[in-house]
Amino acid sequence: MNEPQTIEEMKLVLEAVLLTAGQPLSLDELLRPFAGRMERATLRMLLDEIKADWQGRSMELLQVASGWRFQARAEFATFIARINPERQARYSRAALETLAIIAYRQPVTRGDIEEIRGVAVNPNIMRQFIERNWIDIVGQRDVPGRPSLYATTRTFLDDLGLRSLSELPPIQHFTQQEIPLEPTQAD
C-alpha cells in the first residue's frame, strides 16, 4: 500500500496498527505511521469513527490510561479463556483491601494502610502488586524513617480498562459486595 491518501485509507492503517499492537498506543505513537502528515484533531476524529464502526462487534476500541487499544468485549471472555486458559489471579480479601486503599487514598505508606485496615500489611501482598506493575513507590513521606509512598500505575488503569482514577467506582460499591479485581481481556 502506498501512503494513505483518503480518510478511509487512513482508518485502515490505524486499524491495522491498533489490532497488531501488543499494548495501548498513545496519540503520538498513532501519528508515527503517517510521518507528520496528520493532525492530532484528525487522528482523534478517526479514532472516534473507528470506535463507532466497531460497535456491536466482538472487539471494541477502548481508550485507557496509556492510550488506545482494541480488546475483546467482556461477553466473549469465557470463550477466549477456553483457547487461552491463562489462570486469572485470585486475590485474598486482605490483598483487595490493600489495593483499594492504595487506589482510593494514594499516595499512602504501609503505615497508612495498616492504620486503615487495623492489621499489619503482608509484604508479599505489596510485592505481588509491584511485580504485576499495579503499584509503585512514588516517593517518601517527609517524616522520621522516610517511609515509602505507594500509588497505582498506568498499568493498573490499563488492566482495569480505565483512563483515570476518577473512573473508579465509588468506594461504597466495594463495601456493599465482594467484587473480584481481575484485569480485562486484551487482544
Side-chain angles (χ1 to χ4, degrees):
M1 173 181 218
N2 294 328
E3 289 293 321
Q5 302 298 316
T6 67
I7 292 293
E8 281 307 310
E9 289 174 347
M10 291 176 188
K11 280 173 56 176
L12 290 173
V13 168
L14 280 174
E15 280 183 1
V17 167
L18 286 161
L19 284 166
T20 59
Q23 71 279 338
L25 298 174
S26 68
L27 291 177
D28 289 337
E29 291 169 317
L30 290 169
L31 285 169
R32 273 192 224 143
F34 303 101
R37 296 173 16 170
M38 182 185 289
E39 300 286 325
R40 283 176 99 76
T42 304
L43 175 61
R44 285 194 173 107
M45 177 198 68
L46 292 176
L47 289 168
D48 287 341
E49 285 185 21
I50 292 169
K51 188 173 185 168
D53 291 347
W54 282 77
Q55 286 292 338
R57 297 184 66 187
S58 62
M59 302 283 285
E60 64 185 335
L61 181 60
L62 186 68
Q63 184 180 11
V64 294
S66 297
W68 292 81
R69 72 172 179 211
F70 270 105
Q71 73 177 31
R73 293 191 181 279
E75 59 261 33
F76 297 104
T78 303
F79 306 106
I80 293 168
R82 291 177 188 163
I83 296 290
N84 241 347
E86 183 178 308
R87 226 173 64 120
Q88 296 214 338
R90 297 280 180 213
Y91 297 104
S92 67
R93 182 177 192 90
L96 291 175
E97 287 173 359
T98 300
L99 186 60
I101 291 167
I102 295 168
Y104 285 93
R105 297 275 184 104
Q106 61 189 306
V108 294
T109 65
R110 283 177 60 129
D112 296 333
I113 298 166
E114 291 171 350
E115 185 177 319
I116 292 167
R117 289 196 61 236
V119 295
V121 174
N122 183 334
N124 291 330
I125 289 174
M126 301 300 281
R127 183 172 35 255
Q128 180 181 28
F129 290 133
I130 288 171
E131 287 173 0
R132 183 164 198 141
N133 196 26
W134 277 9
I135 65 170
D136 202 5
I137 297 171
V138 296
Q140 279 78 36
R141 183 165 289 156
D142 196 16
V143 296
R146 303 207 19 99
S148 296
L149 289 166
Y150 296 92
T152 58
T153 65
R154 283 186 176 267
T155 302
F156 169 78
L157 294 172
D158 290 347
D159 286 353
L160 295 178
L162 305 173
R163 287 179 285 194
S164 71
L165 290 169
S166 65
E167 293 182 347
L168 283 170
I171 191 72
Q172 297 81 9
H173 191 70
F174 292 102
T175 58
Q176 300 302 316
Q177 58 187 351
E178 189 149 332
I179 301 196
L181 191 56
E182 297 176 357
T184 57
Q185 177 64 44
D187 301 321

